[in-house]
Amino acid sequence: MSKRLETALIHGAIREGYVDKKGAVNVPVYLSSTFHQESIDEFGEYDYARSGNPTRAALEMAIAELEGGNRGFAFSTGMAAVSACFMILSAGDHIVITEDVYGGTYRFVTKVLPRYGITHTFVDFTDVEAVKAAVTPETKLIYMETPSNPTLGIIDIRAVVDIAKQHGAMTFLDNTFMTPLHQRPLDLGVDVVIHSATKFLSGHSDILAGLVVTKDGELGNQIYFIQNSFGSVLGVQDSFTLIQNMKTTAVRFNEQTRVAGRIAEFLEQQPLVEKVYYPGLASHPGAAIHNGQSTSTGAVLSFSLPSYAVAKAFVDAMQIPVFAVSLGGVESILSYPAKMSHAAMEPEERAKRGITDGLLRFSVGLENEDDLLEDFAQALAVASNVAVK
Ligand SMILES: *Cc1c(COP(=O)(O)O)cnc(C)c1O
């Protein structure tokens, strides 16, 4: 019987014959950096925990199953996962990458990779022709993130995969905003799926973690080689925490998404709000493409207020959410991309991407939805006093 994803989330890390025979319903925490070998010519499945640890392996198998891949890899952070994937490239290779990319990925691609002779071109990926035009004979990789951060831009995954296949380039996709439950890039032909599991998969703002999934055996071997060589593996305790937290991802994410839809509609009706970025709104230019490749509109939205002063007044007046970097937690998280997630980006680059001084991002938590709506209403009322001054 093939299991649906909600079931796989609960049982995916526990396998017959894999965990111990004592009947524990949770994956054992194997706090062991090294493993005893039977004899000089008889080695077991595990030797050293950087290369493999049974607790981490349970998580890696679970994420591979959830994404419909063959191999999963758990890293110490989302950025460790992103950078390990880039490290399968070599000097002389070229990357075509969405300009609307996570700030840390932008920093790695612009400040680290060029030192190793790996070049890049940023493109507005909502324009498929522009992606095609940016591909050169050296292009080895086309890198996507959809929906994007923080303006929720939508990339047509199938169209970009087609371009990559025509040129013999690989595709990577950062699937953090959708989780494997609602967007399955490998099924659409993407080669490598990446998650910052720090966000919705863990969902409690407790640990940092990154996950990678591949389907192709050779590509899996290449990522494994980097994971073991570079060594930024996820620790055993954090692997256990993530396995536990992932069991509730479906209920958390689906509820957070439902409330995000209500908040987005509310914000769209507010005179003080200039623009709402949320793929669940009919007004979103990428809504049709998004709905053709995803089964959820997600729990993150952004909106722009007229100025820095109004945004500041609004943030100061909001009472429920934490004002912080990050997203995907059980607590609502309000953030200011210009100074937080995208602080690493030059001001001109931010402006090009719509990351204005009035832009705020909101990750919906699990608080009472009417409390959240009331908080928005009162904070907007306070902020509108600043706007008229
Ligand atoms: C947070 C995030 C990352 C980086 O993950 P860390 O766990 O913070 O290293 C990468 N991509 C996206 C879309 C993110 O939101």
Side-chain angles (χ1 to χ4, degrees):
M1 180 181 137
S2 82
K3 289 177 281 168
R4 291 175 181 80
L5 294 176
E6 293 80 0
T7 309
L9 276 171
I10 305 294
H11 298 287
I14 302 269
R15 313 229 162 189
E16 213 182 323
Y18 173 66
V19 287
D20 69 11
K21 299 280 186 228
K22 295 185 176 66
V25 299
N26 291 313
V27 173
V29 179
Y30 288 95
L31 276 173
S32 194
S33 59
T34 191
F35 297 83
H36 174 68
Q37 309 303 325
E38 279 309 314
S39 76
I40 199 164
D41 54 7
E42 204 183 326
F43 278 42
E45 190 179 353
Y46 296 97
D47 53 16
Y48 189 62
R50 173 162 33 73
S51 311
N53 174 287
T55 307
R56 194 178 87 226
L59 169 65
E60 292 174 327
M61 286 197 292
I63 190 64
E65 179 185 1
L66 288 165
E67 285 285 3
N70 293 328
R71 282 183 85 174
F73 305 92
F75 293 89
S76 55
T77 67
M79 278 317 302
V82 168
S83 48
C85 292
F86 280 122
M87 273 186 251
I88 70 172
L89 297 175
S90 303
D93 290 348
H94 174 251
I95 304 163
V96 175
I97 179 165
T98 172
E99 62 179 16
D100 212 2
V101 76
Y102 177 71
T105 307
Y106 176 85
R107 178 170 50 205
F108 189 78
V109 167
T110 58
K111 303 275 170 31
V112 180
L113 290 182
R115 303 208 318 255
Y116 300 92
I118 297 166
T119 58
H120 60 269
T121 305
F122 281 103
V123 180
D124 172 3
F125 268 47
T126 59
D127 179 354
V128 173
E129 289 307 313
V131 176
K132 208 179 279 178
V135 174
T136 73
E138 284 70 46
T139 303
K140 283 280 160 55
L141 166 65
I142 304 187
Y143 189 97
M144 295 175 262
E145 186 181 317
T146 183
S148 72
N149 188 10
T151 51
L152 289 300
I154 301 300
I155 296 171
D156 185 337
I157 301 172
R158 293 181 185 89
V160 173
V161 165
D162 279 349
I163 295 170
K165 292 220 151 96
Q166 276 163 30
H167 290 86
M170 298 181 284
T171 43
F172 294 179
L173 191 146
D174 183 331
N175 204 23
T176 300
F177 273 44
M178 277 297 115
T179 80
L181 291 167
H182 294 295
Q183 186 164 273
R184 311 248 307 158
L186 296 176
D187 293 350
L188 303 177
V190 168
D191 296 305
V192 178
V193 180
I194 305 169
H195 286 279
S196 170
T198 307
K199 314 294 168 54
F200 290 105
L201 287 172
S202 189
H204 294 72
S205 304
D206 43 9
I207 58 162
L208 296 169
L211 297 171
V212 172
V213 181
T214 57
K215 202 168 193 170
D216 176 76
E218 173 50 27
L219 212 43
N221 289 341
Q222 288 178 30
I223 303 272
Y224 177 72
F225 183 78
I226 298 290
Q227 184 193 38
N228 193 33
S229 303
F230 197 63
S232 54
V233 294
L234 189 63
V236 175
Q237 305 266 23
D238 287 351
S239 294
F240 178 76
T241 301
L242 183 52
I243 289 168
Q244 296 299 84
N245 289 358
M246 276 167 59
K247 293 176 183 178
T248 56
T249 300
V251 275
R252 283 186 281 105
F253 192 83
N254 294 340
E255 174 65 5
Q256 289 164 330
T257 297
R258 187 183 65 73
V259 178
R262 267 193 82 187
I263 294 174
E265 279 167 21
F266 169 83
L267 288 175
E268 212 175 28
Q269 287 156 17
Q270 305 306 309
L272 193 62
V273 176
E274 290 180 333
K275 194 164 178 189
V276 183
Y277 301 87
Y278 183 63
L281 292 174
S283 61
H284 191 295
I289 291 172
H290 182 74
N291 292 331
Q293 62 195 18
S294 311
T295 53
S296 168
T297 47
V300 178
L301 55 94
S302 293
F303 56 100
S304 56
L305 295 174
S307 66
Y308 170 78
V310 175
K312 178 171 164 37
F314 174 83
V315 169
D316 289 346
M318 280 294 274
Q319 292 172 12
I320 295 174
V322 297
F323 180 57
V325 175
S326 200
L327 54 99
V330 292
E331 59 291 296
S332 290
I333 303 177
L334 178 65
S335 40
Y336 185 62
K339 285 194 180 176
M340 290 177 165
S341 56
H342 289 65
M345 198 174 268
E346 298 79 11
E348 321 79 75
E349 295 297 323
R350 280 204 297 270
K352 263 204 262 172
R353 292 160 173 80
I355 307 168
T356 62
D357 289 347
L359 187 79
L360 291 163
R361 190 184 72 196
F362 194 75
S363 167
V364 181
L366 288 174
E367 300 92 347
N368 179 284
E369 60 194 293
D370 295 322
D371 285 347
L372 289 175
L373 285 164
E374 279 170 33
D375 201 15
F376 269 99
Q378 67 79 22
L380 285 169
V382 172
S384 62
N385 290 330
V386 174
V388 292
K389 267 190 208 144

PDB file of all heavy atoms in Angstrom, residues 76-80 82 102 105 143 145 147 149 174 176-177 195-199 208-210 326-327 361, ligand 1:
ATOM      1  N   SER A  76      23.783  20.741   8.797  1.00  0.00           N
ATOM      2  CA  SER A  76      23.688  21.500  10.043  1.00  0.00           C
ATOM      3  C   SER A  76      22.798  22.732   9.929  1.00  0.00           C
ATOM      4  O   SER A  76      22.259  23.191  10.933  1.00  0.00           O
ATOM      5  CB  SER A  76      25.083  21.915  10.505  1.00  0.00           C
ATOM      6  OG  SER A  76      25.727  22.626   9.463  1.00  0.00           O
ATOM      7  N   THR A  77      22.657  23.290   8.724  1.00  0.00           N
ATOM      8  CA  THR A  77      21.763  24.442   8.498  1.00  0.00           C
ATOM      9  C   THR A  77      21.259  24.370   7.060  1.00  0.00           C
ATOM     10  O   THR A  77      21.794  23.611   6.237  1.00  0.00           O
ATOM     11  CB  THR A  77      22.502  25.801   8.650  1.00  0.00           C
ATOM     12  OG1 THR A  77      23.464  25.923   7.594  1.00  0.00           O
ATOM     13  CG2 THR A  77      23.198  25.947   9.992  1.00  0.00           C
ATOM     14  N   GLY A  78      20.281  25.214   6.773  1.00  0.00           N
ATOM     15  CA  GLY A  78      19.835  25.325   5.384  1.00  0.00           C
ATOM     16  C   GLY A  78      20.963  25.812   4.492  1.00  0.00           C
ATOM     17  O   GLY A  78      21.136  25.314   3.371  1.00  0.00           O
ATOM     18  N   MET A  79      21.743  26.776   4.963  1.00  0.00           N
ATOM     19  CA  MET A  79      22.853  27.284   4.146  1.00  0.00           C
ATOM     20  C   MET A  79      23.945  26.236   3.938  1.00  0.00           C
ATOM     21  O   MET A  79      24.604  26.231   2.902  1.00  0.00           O
ATOM     22  CB  MET A  79      23.440  28.569   4.749  1.00  0.00           C
ATOM     23  CG  MET A  79      22.671  29.841   4.401  1.00  0.00           C
ATOM     24  SD  MET A  79      22.122  29.975   2.665  1.00  0.00           S
ATOM     25  CE  MET A  79      23.673  29.860   1.780  1.00  0.00           C
ATOM     26  N   ALA A  80      24.146  25.353   4.922  1.00  0.00           N
ATOM     27  CA  ALA A  80      25.109  24.267   4.725  1.00  0.00           C
ATOM     28  C   ALA A  80      24.612  23.359   3.597  1.00  0.00           C
ATOM     29  O   ALA A  80      25.402  22.876   2.766  1.00  0.00           O
ATOM     30  CB  ALA A  80      25.300  23.472   6.016  1.00  0.00           C
ATOM     31  N   VAL A  82      22.519  24.292   1.086  1.00  0.00           N
ATOM     32  CA  VAL A  82      22.617  25.050  -0.169  1.00  0.00           C
ATOM     33  C   VAL A  82      24.061  25.049  -0.666  1.00  0.00           C
ATOM     34  O   VAL A  82      24.342  24.749  -1.834  1.00  0.00           O
ATOM     35  CB  VAL A  82      22.122  26.514   0.046  1.00  0.00           C
ATOM     36  CG1 VAL A  82      22.479  27.399  -1.137  1.00  0.00           C
ATOM     37  CG2 VAL A  82      20.619  26.547   0.317  1.00  0.00           C
ATOM     38  N   TYR A 102      16.965  33.701  -1.644  1.00  0.00           N
ATOM     39  CA  TYR A 102      17.249  33.901  -0.216  1.00  0.00           C
ATOM     40  C   TYR A 102      18.564  34.676  -0.043  1.00  0.00           C
ATOM     41  O   TYR A 102      19.553  34.393  -0.737  1.00  0.00           O
ATOM     42  CB  TYR A 102      17.325  32.534   0.464  1.00  0.00           C
ATOM     43  CG  TYR A 102      17.683  32.620   1.921  1.00  0.00           C
ATOM     44  CD1 TYR A 102      16.781  33.112   2.849  1.00  0.00           C
ATOM     45  CD2 TYR A 102      18.940  32.229   2.369  1.00  0.00           C
ATOM     46  CE1 TYR A 102      17.115  33.214   4.190  1.00  0.00           C
ATOM     47  CE2 TYR A 102      19.280  32.319   3.709  1.00  0.00           C
ATOM     48  CZ  TYR A 102      18.368  32.819   4.610  1.00  0.00           C
ATOM     49  OH  TYR A 102      18.699  32.918   5.931  1.00  0.00           O
ATOM     50  N   THR A 105      21.822  32.742   0.242  1.00  0.00           N
ATOM     51  CA  THR A 105      22.210  32.097  -1.020  1.00  0.00           C
ATOM     52  C   THR A 105      22.844  33.140  -1.931  1.00  0.00           C
ATOM     53  O   THR A 105      23.863  32.882  -2.590  1.00  0.00           O
ATOM     54  CB  THR A 105      20.970  31.463  -1.684  1.00  0.00           C
ATOM     55  OG1 THR A 105      20.338  30.605  -0.730  1.00  0.00           O
ATOM     56  CG2 THR A 105      21.342  30.661  -2.924  1.00  0.00           C
ATOM     57  N   TYR A 143      19.250  27.546 -10.974  1.00  0.00           N
ATOM     58  CA  TYR A 143      18.861  27.495  -9.565  1.00  0.00           C
ATOM     59  C   TYR A 143      17.566  28.267  -9.333  1.00  0.00           C
ATOM     60  O   TYR A 143      17.475  29.457  -9.630  1.00  0.00           O
ATOM     61  CB  TYR A 143      19.978  28.095  -8.709  1.00  0.00           C
ATOM     62  CG  TYR A 143      19.782  27.907  -7.221  1.00  0.00           C
ATOM     63  CD1 TYR A 143      20.411  26.862  -6.546  1.00  0.00           C
ATOM     64  CD2 TYR A 143      18.971  28.775  -6.491  1.00  0.00           C
ATOM     65  CE1 TYR A 143      20.232  26.688  -5.179  1.00  0.00           C
ATOM     66  CE2 TYR A 143      18.783  28.600  -5.133  1.00  0.00           C
ATOM     67  CZ  TYR A 143      19.417  27.557  -4.482  1.00  0.00           C
ATOM     68  OH  TYR A 143      19.232  27.387  -3.130  1.00  0.00           O
ATOM     69  N   GLU A 145      14.026  29.167  -6.724  1.00  0.00           N
ATOM     70  CA  GLU A 145      13.405  29.227  -5.399  1.00  0.00           C
ATOM     71  C   GLU A 145      11.991  29.736  -5.659  1.00  0.00           C
ATOM     72  O   GLU A 145      11.816  30.838  -6.175  1.00  0.00           O
ATOM     73  CB  GLU A 145      14.187  30.206  -4.516  1.00  0.00           C
ATOM     74  CG  GLU A 145      13.722  30.253  -3.079  1.00  0.00           C
ATOM     75  CD  GLU A 145      14.536  31.262  -2.253  1.00  0.00           C
ATOM     76  OE1 GLU A 145      15.782  31.309  -2.389  1.00  0.00           O
ATOM     77  OE2 GLU A 145      13.922  32.016  -1.496  1.00  0.00           O
ATOM     78  N   PRO A 147       7.753  29.453  -4.025  1.00  0.00           N
ATOM     79  CA  PRO A 147       7.660  30.914  -4.053  1.00  0.00           C
ATOM     80  C   PRO A 147       8.919  31.522  -3.453  1.00  0.00           C
ATOM     81  O   PRO A 147       9.558  30.922  -2.590  1.00  0.00           O
ATOM     82  CB  PRO A 147       6.440  31.215  -3.180  1.00  0.00           C
ATOM     83  CG  PRO A 147       5.666  29.949  -3.111  1.00  0.00           C
ATOM     84  CD  PRO A 147       6.664  28.864  -3.211  1.00  0.00           C
ATOM     85  N   ASN A 149      11.444  34.532  -1.738  1.00  0.00           N
ATOM     86  CA  ASN A 149      11.573  35.229  -0.481  1.00  0.00           C
ATOM     87  C   ASN A 149      12.142  36.624  -0.752  1.00  0.00           C
ATOM     88  O   ASN A 149      13.212  36.694  -1.340  1.00  0.00           O
ATOM     89  CB  ASN A 149      12.553  34.406   0.366  1.00  0.00           C
ATOM     90  CG  ASN A 149      12.676  34.870   1.769  1.00  0.00           C
ATOM     91  OD1 ASN A 149      11.932  35.691   2.235  1.00  0.00           O
ATOM     92  ND2 ASN A 149      13.666  34.348   2.455  1.00  0.00           N
ATOM     93  N   ASP A 174      15.052  25.361  -4.226  1.00  0.00           N
ATOM     94  CA  ASP A 174      14.871  25.578  -2.785  1.00  0.00           C
ATOM     95  C   ASP A 174      13.367  25.529  -2.512  1.00  0.00           C
ATOM     96  O   ASP A 174      12.621  26.422  -2.912  1.00  0.00           O
ATOM     97  CB  ASP A 174      15.472  26.944  -2.408  1.00  0.00           C
ATOM     98  CG  ASP A 174      15.406  27.239  -0.916  1.00  0.00           C
ATOM     99  OD1 ASP A 174      14.485  26.731  -0.247  1.00  0.00           O
ATOM    100  OD2 ASP A 174      16.262  28.003  -0.431  1.00  0.00           O
ATOM    101  N   THR A 176      11.789  25.374   0.442  1.00  0.00           N
ATOM    102  CA  THR A 176      11.505  25.717   1.842  1.00  0.00           C
ATOM    103  C   THR A 176      10.079  26.230   2.069  1.00  0.00           C
ATOM    104  O   THR A 176       9.422  25.846   3.033  1.00  0.00           O
ATOM    105  CB  THR A 176      12.505  26.800   2.316  1.00  0.00           C
ATOM    106  OG1 THR A 176      13.828  26.271   2.203  1.00  0.00           O
ATOM    107  CG2 THR A 176      12.248  27.223   3.747  1.00  0.00           C
ATOM    108  N   PHE A 177       9.587  27.086   1.175  1.00  0.00           N
ATOM    109  CA  PHE A 177       8.295  27.751   1.417  1.00  0.00           C
ATOM    110  C   PHE A 177       7.096  26.826   1.236  1.00  0.00           C
ATOM    111  O   PHE A 177       6.009  27.157   1.693  1.00  0.00           O
ATOM    112  CB  PHE A 177       8.147  28.980   0.507  1.00  0.00           C
ATOM    113  CG  PHE A 177       8.735  30.234   1.089  1.00  0.00           C
ATOM    114  CD1 PHE A 177       9.968  30.214   1.714  1.00  0.00           C
ATOM    115  CD2 PHE A 177       8.057  31.441   1.014  1.00  0.00           C
ATOM    116  CE1 PHE A 177      10.520  31.359   2.259  1.00  0.00           C
ATOM    117  CE2 PHE A 177       8.596  32.605   1.557  1.00  0.00           C
ATOM    118  CZ  PHE A 177       9.826  32.567   2.174  1.00  0.00           C
ATOM    119  N   HIS A 195      15.993  22.126   1.303  1.00  0.00           N
ATOM    120  CA  HIS A 195      15.133  22.752   2.310  1.00  0.00           C
ATOM    121  C   HIS A 195      15.965  23.395   3.399  1.00  0.00           C
ATOM    122  O   HIS A 195      16.922  22.798   3.880  1.00  0.00           O
ATOM    123  CB  HIS A 195      14.279  21.701   3.046  1.00  0.00           C
ATOM    124  CG  HIS A 195      13.161  21.164   2.230  1.00  0.00           C
ATOM    125  ND1 HIS A 195      11.977  21.825   2.076  1.00  0.00           N
ATOM    126  CD2 HIS A 195      13.064  20.025   1.507  1.00  0.00           C
ATOM    127  CE1 HIS A 195      11.178  21.111   1.295  1.00  0.00           C
ATOM    128  NE2 HIS A 195      11.817  20.016   0.926  1.00  0.00           N
ATOM    129  N   SER A 196      15.516  24.585   3.818  1.00  0.00           N
ATOM    130  CA  SER A 196      15.922  25.023   5.139  1.00  0.00           C
ATOM    131  C   SER A 196      14.877  24.402   6.066  1.00  0.00           C
ATOM    132  O   SER A 196      13.760  24.908   6.189  1.00  0.00           O
ATOM    133  CB  SER A 196      15.899  26.546   5.268  1.00  0.00           C
ATOM    134  OG  SER A 196      16.073  26.867   6.642  1.00  0.00           O
ATOM    135  N   ALA A 197      15.228  23.286   6.714  1.00  0.00           N
ATOM    136  CA  ALA A 197      14.298  22.599   7.618  1.00  0.00           C
ATOM    137  C   ALA A 197      14.133  23.358   8.926  1.00  0.00           C
ATOM    138  O   ALA A 197      13.297  23.014   9.762  1.00  0.00           O
ATOM    139  CB  ALA A 197      14.776  21.166   7.870  1.00  0.00           C
ATOM    140  N   THR A 198      14.955  24.386   9.090  1.00  0.00           N
ATOM    141  CA  THR A 198      14.817  25.329  10.206  1.00  0.00           C
ATOM    142  C   THR A 198      13.404  25.918  10.233  1.00  0.00           C
ATOM    143  O   THR A 198      12.908  26.297  11.291  1.00  0.00           O
ATOM    144  CB  THR A 198      15.816  26.500   9.987  1.00  0.00           C
ATOM    145  OG1 THR A 198      17.121  25.962   9.784  1.00  0.00           O
ATOM    146  CG2 THR A 198      15.823  27.465  11.142  1.00  0.00           C
ATOM    147  N   LYS A 199      12.781  25.997   9.078  1.00  0.00           N
ATOM    148  CA  LYS A 199      11.522  26.723   8.922  1.00  0.00           C
ATOM    149  C   LYS A 199      10.328  25.781   9.172  1.00  0.00           C
ATOM    150  O   LYS A 199      10.184  25.298  10.275  1.00  0.00           O
ATOM    151  CB  LYS A 199      11.496  27.387   7.547  1.00  0.00           C
ATOM    152  CG  LYS A 199      12.800  28.122   7.195  1.00  0.00           C
ATOM    153  CD  LYS A 199      13.079  29.320   8.079  1.00  0.00           C
ATOM    154  CE  LYS A 199      14.492  29.860   7.933  1.00  0.00           C
ATOM    155  NZ  LYS A 199      14.927  30.199   6.572  1.00  0.00           N
ATOM    156  N   LEU A 208      18.352  24.643  13.897  1.00  0.00           N
ATOM    157  CA  LEU A 208      18.744  24.946  12.521  1.00  0.00           C
ATOM    158  C   LEU A 208      18.989  23.609  11.828  1.00  0.00           C
ATOM    159  O   LEU A 208      19.604  22.706  12.422  1.00  0.00           O
ATOM    160  CB  LEU A 208      20.041  25.753  12.492  1.00  0.00           C
ATOM    161  CG  LEU A 208      20.030  27.156  13.108  1.00  0.00           C
ATOM    162  CD1 LEU A 208      21.462  27.668  13.210  1.00  0.00           C
ATOM    163  CD2 LEU A 208      19.193  28.103  12.274  1.00  0.00           C
ATOM    164  N   ALA A 209      18.524  23.481  10.589  1.00  0.00           N
ATOM    165  CA  ALA A 209      18.769  22.244   9.851  1.00  0.00           C
ATOM    166  C   ALA A 209      18.544  22.460   8.363  1.00  0.00           C
ATOM    167  O   ALA A 209      17.754  23.316   7.962  1.00  0.00           O
ATOM    168  CB  ALA A 209      17.840  21.127  10.340  1.00  0.00           C
ATOM    169  N   GLY A 210      19.249  21.685   7.559  1.00  0.00           N
ATOM    170  CA  GLY A 210      19.068  21.728   6.108  1.00  0.00           C
ATOM    171  C   GLY A 210      18.904  20.329   5.572  1.00  0.00           C
ATOM    172  O   GLY A 210      19.482  19.380   6.118  1.00  0.00           O
ATOM    173  N   SER A 326      13.567  34.825  10.224  1.00  0.00           N
ATOM    174  CA  SER A 326      13.056  33.456  10.143  1.00  0.00           C
ATOM    175  C   SER A 326      11.540  33.414   9.910  1.00  0.00           C
ATOM    176  O   SER A 326      10.852  34.447   9.890  1.00  0.00           O
ATOM    177  CB  SER A 326      13.406  32.620  11.374  1.00  0.00           C
ATOM    178  OG  SER A 326      13.305  31.245  11.050  1.00  0.00           O
ATOM    179  N   LEU A 327      11.068  32.203   9.711  1.00  0.00           N
ATOM    180  CA  LEU A 327       9.658  31.974   9.372  1.00  0.00           C
ATOM    181  C   LEU A 327       9.348  30.510   9.661  1.00  0.00           C
ATOM    182  O   LEU A 327      10.229  29.719   9.972  1.00  0.00           O
ATOM    183  CB  LEU A 327       9.417  32.297   7.880  1.00  0.00           C
ATOM    184  CG  LEU A 327      10.328  31.592   6.860  1.00  0.00           C
ATOM    185  CD1 LEU A 327       9.644  30.381   6.251  1.00  0.00           C
ATOM    186  CD2 LEU A 327      10.726  32.549   5.755  1.00  0.00           C
ATOM    187  N   ARG A 361       7.393  41.231   6.033  1.00  0.00           N
ATOM    188  CA  ARG A 361       7.025  39.843   5.743  1.00  0.00           C
ATOM    189  C   ARG A 361       6.361  39.260   6.982  1.00  0.00           C
ATOM    190  O   ARG A 361       6.788  39.538   8.108  1.00  0.00           O
ATOM    191  CB  ARG A 361       8.280  39.044   5.381  1.00  0.00           C
ATOM    192  CG  ARG A 361       7.964  37.651   4.828  1.00  0.00           C
ATOM    193  CD  ARG A 361       9.238  36.879   4.578  1.00  0.00           C
ATOM    194  NE  ARG A 361       9.844  36.475   5.846  1.00  0.00           N
ATOM    195  CZ  ARG A 361      11.104  36.057   5.980  1.00  0.00           C
ATOM    196  NH1 ARG A 361      11.899  36.006   4.936  1.00  0.00           N
ATOM    197  NH2 ARG A 361      11.565  35.697   7.156  1.00  0.00           N
TER     198      ARG A 361
HETATM  199  C1  LIG B   1      16.162  30.342   5.944  1.00  0.00           C
HETATM  200  C2  LIG B   1      16.313  29.969   4.518  1.00  0.00           C
HETATM  201  C3  LIG B   1      17.497  29.413   4.027  1.00  0.00           C
HETATM  202  C4  LIG B   1      18.714  29.197   4.910  1.00  0.00           C
HETATM  203  O1  LIG B   1      18.465  28.300   5.934  1.00  0.00           O
HETATM  204  P1  LIG B   1      19.250  28.320   7.355  1.00  0.00           P
HETATM  205  O2  LIG B   1      18.701  27.136   8.044  1.00  0.00           O
HETATM  206  O3  LIG B   1      18.902  29.624   8.003  1.00  0.00           O
HETATM  207  O4  LIG B   1      20.688  28.242   7.061  1.00  0.00           O
HETATM  208  C5  LIG B   1      17.538  29.051   2.706  1.00  0.00           C
HETATM  209  N1  LIG B   1      16.485  29.253   1.883  1.00  0.00           N
HETATM  210  C6  LIG B   1      15.326  29.796   2.326  1.00  0.00           C
HETATM  211  C7  LIG B   1      14.208  29.985   1.373  1.00  0.00           C
HETATM  212  C8  LIG B   1      15.196  30.177   3.652  1.00  0.00           C
HETATM  213  O5  LIG B   1      14.068  30.723   4.074  1.00  0.00           O
END
